[in-house]
Amino acid sequence: MCGIIGGICQNNITPLLVSGLKRLEYRGYDSAGLVILNGDNALQRVRAAGKVVNLENNIDSKTVNGKIGIAHTRWATHGEPTTKNAHPHICNGDVGVVHNGIIENFLELKIEQQAQGYHFSSDTDTEIIAHAIHQTLQDSDGLLAAVQKAVKTFKGAYGISVISPKNPGHIIVARSGSPLVIGVGEKGNFVASDQVALLDVTKQFIFLEEGDIADITLDSITIFDKSDIQVERKIKTSKLQNRQISKGDYAHYMQKEIFEQPQAIADTLESRITKDKVLTSAFGYEAKDIFEKIEHIQIIACGTSYNAGLVAKYWLEDIAKIPTHIEVASEYRYRNPIILDNTLFITISQSGETADTLEALRAVKKRNENIHSLTICNCAESSLTRESELTFLTHAGVEIGVASTKAFTTQLVSLALLSVAIGRCHGQVSAEQEKAIVTGLNQLPGLIKKALAQENQIIELAKTFKNKFNALFLGRGPMHAIAMEGALKLKEISYIHAEAYPAGELKHGPIALIDKDTPVIAVAPNDELLDKLKSNLQEVKSRGSQMIVFEDEDSKVTPMNGLSIIPITNNLGRITAPIIFTIPLQLLSYHVALIKGTNVDQPRNLAKSVTVE
Ligand code: AGP
């Protein structure tokens, strides 16, 4: 939710701010802006509604030139995505601020500030930050002290970067609830919401902790914790390469990420299994002790990660025989759930920064100290990994397309390993069963390549969605969760309204939706529910629907008029099937979106990392 970049160096900072913003666009892309301290020691700001390229077109490189600056790409929370609401926000020419997060008490602070004579030129919550720092700057010894004082009045979440002509040569940054990373360069120092924005200038990073405030100059970085005590934070070397964040030969990040899945899954499995066994220690050295103790599992996640958790509920109860509940984080965090002792609280998240998921974890830890927490996460230096007792990293690599693809399938692989590891600790998984599951997982990269090879058939099917506005996805058992993920993908990138139902539930209402303009997409592995699913498909077909069935080669769904059957794989187990059947649904959404002409990687109204409630 919003991307921040800033820096101080020996040359003009503007090109880095713009190129960094482009890399942060996945966090928000409805308006962008930057402010630099120019040669006259004045704040010089440029802003534009829309994407970073609009900002770039507004920048006159001869005049917008300074060695210190901050910039922002926005995902609107308070105030429409217009130029006047774009960051940075400035107070009286003295303070320039960019902000990621939400200041929840902004109305209260705004009223106080208006009474003190501050004028507001935007509808954002961020503007109160600029005024608050301006106010504290009047009686503080420098910008750092002013920010330290001001943030104490904020409630909510923030990652901020601040500059001021009153204290040139300093960028003050602060984080609470929103990520910030400092880039330690040879020719300057930098800050960003995500290290990907800074890879052109450094590989050395300091990941700020909750409540940290840092004073960044050309040759120093001084960090204070939430009690304003100076602290040391480790510098870590990033392994990320620029090529990992480029599109390569692909038209879109989403397409690249779909095709990266065989490798991402192989990477996620690497060093986590032997030929026939899951390594429990891959979940952390205390994992075995914790897994042996747990009696209940609660999974919390959002969006695609929630869908992965839904599949895992089947696996954990089926394989590990542990009662498992799952709920979307935004609901769970605001109710009064009964949290039993010896519960393993599992969060699933690509980014590790999703505010709802993170806050749910924090709330649960406050309510019951006898729970254990595990996060399945794709970002090693994220808030969720820092705040969870156990971490299992999905090795999907950087995922930039807003629609999650390889993060989902690697989450499923991780959750499959977890089900086996917990099941073994509880004596529920025989060596033979474990070997069969591990063998199936090892085959995944090859099977996914085979599923990807069906792309041409899927391209043809996608054409039939050109004038469609609704679609229905069906599955049974864990495949219902895969149908949900298929529907979510189609909605978010092609803007077609899509619903997913357990196929047996259709007759209780949704079957009324079926007509010739509502395509029905079903996933039909050859499992114990296949015959039931086939009957459900008959019910749908006889109502005149146009249907697509992705099947197991052995499923032998009966051919009918208006029914397209695409074999995806053959005779898979309960673990591998959901992962493989995800692939055709991702490809279908991608190709429908191309036909609809939407922005595949940056669909409207969305952002990759949702760090606000
Ligand atoms: C999926 O395509 C979405 N981009 C979205 O639902 C996402 O999965 C959700 O916001 C959760 O994000 P997380 O995995 O980073 O926590």
Side-chain angles (χ1 to χ4, degrees):
M1 259 30 204
C2 301
I4 288 177
I5 179 167
I8 174 163
C9 61
Q10 287 157 341
N11 309 314
N12 182 13
I13 191 82
T14 310
L16 174 73
L17 296 182
V18 173
S19 65
L21 282 185
K22 285 185 178 166
R23 290 185 176 176
L24 291 171
E25 265 192 324
Y26 75 89
R27 301 180 65 86
Y29 35 82
D30 60 39
S31 55
L34 59 82
V35 64
I36 51 134
L37 258 184
N38 64 17
D40 300 328
N41 193 33
L43 291 177
Q44 192 175 356
R45 175 172 70 177
V46 190
R47 296 183 292 175
K51 300 210 160 210
V52 175
V53 69
N54 297 355
L55 171 72
E56 193 175 21
N57 292 338
N58 282 355
I59 293 173
D60 176 347
S61 55
K62 287 196 200 95
T63 58
V64 186
N65 194 319
K67 294 176 179 168
I68 175 165
I70 53 178
H72 186 269
T73 179
R74 180 168 185 249
W75 186 84
T77 56
H78 294 75
E80 291 179 352
T82 53
T83 305
K84 79 165 186 175
N85 288 329
H87 301 209
H89 291 284
I90 293 181
C91 181
N92 292 350
D94 283 345
V95 175
V97 172
V98 290
H99 165 222
N100 169 29
I102 290 183
I103 302 300
E104 285 175 341
N105 58 337
F106 91 100
L107 259 183
E108 195 182 309
L109 295 173
K110 186 171 180 174
I111 292 165
E112 281 172 23
Q113 292 174 349
Q114 278 170 329
Q116 287 154 357
Y118 283 104
H119 167 72
F120 280 77
S121 57
S122 78
D123 308 316
T124 64
D125 53 337
T126 301
E127 203 178 346
I128 65 104
I129 301 179
H131 296 325
I133 296 170
H134 180 268
Q135 200 179 18
T136 51
L137 194 55
Q138 308 311 309
D139 52 10
S140 296
D141 184 17
L143 190 58
L144 169 68
V147 174
Q148 281 175 323
K149 244 184 251 173
V151 295
K152 299 205 167 56
T153 64
F154 305 154
K155 287 188 190 142
Y158 55 82
I160 57 173
S161 294
V162 190
I163 57 172
S164 169
K166 298 272 182 206
N167 217 180
H170 294 259
I171 302 179
I172 309 299
V173 304
R175 77 154 277 182
S176 177
S178 302
L180 273 185
V181 57
I182 294 176
V184 186
E186 277 174 17
K187 294 183 181 154
N189 290 315
F190 311 90
V191 65
S193 303
D194 183 332
Q195 51 181 310
V196 297
L198 300 174
L199 286 179
D200 281 342
V201 283
T202 187
K203 287 278 171 69
Q204 306 290 105
F205 293 103
I206 298 171
F207 295 87
L208 289 181
E209 294 187 11
E210 275 298 278
D212 280 356
I213 298 184
D215 180 357
I216 304 173
T217 69
L218 185 62
D219 46 25
S220 69
I221 296 162
T222 319
I223 303 173
F224 302 85
D225 69 9
K226 54 176 176 268
S227 313
D228 298 339
I229 294 169
Q230 193 173 335
V231 285
E232 291 296 317
R233 302 278 182 235
K234 272 195 191 134
I235 298 180
K236 298 188 177 172
T237 304
S238 172
K239 291 198 186 105
L240 264 184
Q241 302 290 336
N242 265 329
R243 68 177 159 73
Q244 287 171 273
I245 54 169
S246 82
K247 274 197 286 234
D249 293 335
Y250 291 92
H252 296 99
Y253 282 109
M254 183 186 181
Q255 186 190 25
K256 174 177 177 245
E257 288 156 8
I258 288 173
F259 280 86
E260 278 174 346
Q261 288 176 107
Q263 188 58 50
I265 287 176
D267 291 347
T268 301
L269 287 171
E270 194 190 314
S271 310
R272 270 85 183 260
I273 49 175
T274 64
K275 202 160 53 41
D276 45 19
K277 243 172 140 356
V278 174
L279 298 172
T280 308
S281 56
F283 292 87
Y285 73 92
E286 323 94 306
K288 187 167 175 292
D289 288 347
I290 293 174
F291 291 172
E292 277 169 0
K293 261 188 273 174
I294 57 163
E295 292 166 29
H296 315 274
I297 292 174
Q298 174 69 58
I299 304 176
I300 291 297
C302 306
T304 287
S305 299
Y306 170 77
N307 292 338
L310 277 178
V311 176
K313 175 181 161 62
Y314 284 90
W315 291 341
L316 286 160
E317 294 199 335
D318 203 18
I319 299 169
K321 311 271 187 273
I322 306 276
T324 302
H325 297 279
I326 168 153
E327 193 166 335
V328 287
S330 54
E331 288 298 316
Y332 188 85
R333 62 179 284 202
Y334 286 116
R335 61 182 191 85
N336 291 319
I338 295 164
I339 304 162
L340 301 167
D341 284 353
N342 295 324
T343 293
L344 178 65
F345 191 84
I346 303 176
T347 55
I348 309 171
S349 175
Q350 189 287 127
S351 60
E353 300 294 349
T354 300
D356 287 319
T357 311
L358 190 55
E359 288 304 330
L361 171 65
R362 288 176 182 161
V364 148
K365 288 207 292 191
K366 260 192 217 148
R367 290 166 67 101
N368 186 334
E369 287 169 359
N370 293 324
I371 61 130
H372 296 285
S373 60
L374 161 71
T375 187
I376 307 275
C377 187
N378 197 39
C379 295
E381 296 297 340
S382 63
S383 303
L384 272 177
T385 59
R386 272 201 293 268
E387 296 186 30
S388 301
E389 204 177 354
L390 302 175
T391 291
F392 188 90
L393 290 176
T394 47
H395 290 162
V398 185
E399 191 181 68
I400 293 175
V402 164
S404 197
T405 51
K406 60 179 182 168
F408 179 69
T409 46
T410 54
Q411 283 167 351
L412 289 179
V413 167
S414 311
L415 289 159
L417 298 178
L418 179 69
S419 307
V420 175
I422 297 179
R424 178 151 35 78
C425 288
H426 283 248
Q428 297 291 349
V429 178
S430 67
E432 200 183 318
Q433 191 186 3
E434 181 164 357
K435 186 174 178 186
I437 293 174
V438 169
T439 307
L441 290 171
N442 268 325
Q443 287 169 352
L444 274 173
L447 291 168
I448 289 180
K449 281 188 192 150
K450 199 173 157 197
L452 288 168
Q454 306 298 335
E455 188 179 21
N456 286 339
Q457 288 197 67
I458 293 170
I459 291 173
E460 284 308 306
L461 290 175
K463 291 178 186 160
T464 62
F465 284 73
K466 190 167 190 307
N467 300 312
K468 300 288 188 284
F469 299 98
N470 298 291
L472 213 53
F473 286 72
L474 301 179
R476 294 196 71 134
M479 304 313 275
H480 169 231
I482 299 306
M484 284 181 64
E485 176 56 12
L488 177 61
K489 287 287 91 88
L490 192 69
K491 286 190 255 234
E492 70 179 329
I493 61 166
S494 74
Y495 314 150
I496 290 178
H497 170 236
E499 300 266 2
Y501 273 95
E505 182 65 12
L506 264 196
K507 56 186 177 294
H508 300 291
I511 201 160
L513 292 172
I514 287 172
D515 63 19
K516 61 178 180 23
D517 291 323
T518 306
V520 175
I521 300 105
V523 273
N526 183 13
D527 60 17
E528 66 280 7
L529 292 168
L530 180 63
D531 288 340
K532 305 257 175 248
L533 179 73
K534 282 181 178 173
S535 313
N536 302 142
L537 298 184
Q538 288 290 344
E539 290 157 16
V540 174
K541 193 69 214 62
S542 57
R543 267 104 188 151
S545 162
Q546 187 189 342
M547 284 187 72
I548 299 170
V549 177
F550 294 109
E551 72 161 7
D552 214 306
E553 281 161 11
D554 301 327
S555 292
K556 298 197 171 43
V557 173
T558 317
M560 285 178 270
N561 257 349
L563 169 63
S564 308
I565 303 172
I566 316 288
I568 291 301
T569 185
N570 63 339
N571 212 11
L572 293 171
R574 215 169 158 74
I575 297 268
T576 33
I579 301 169
I580 303 292
F581 278 93
T582 301
I583 307 298
L585 301 186
Q586 294 172 342
L587 285 172
L588 183 68
S589 308
Y590 174 70
H591 287 289
V592 172
L594 291 189
I595 287 162
K596 292 273 185 183
T598 55
N599 187 334
V600 171
D601 284 331
Q602 296 175 342
R604 69 183 179 204
N605 305 337
L606 291 175
K608 181 78 183 154
S609 183
V610 188
T611 53
V612 294
E613 302 192 26

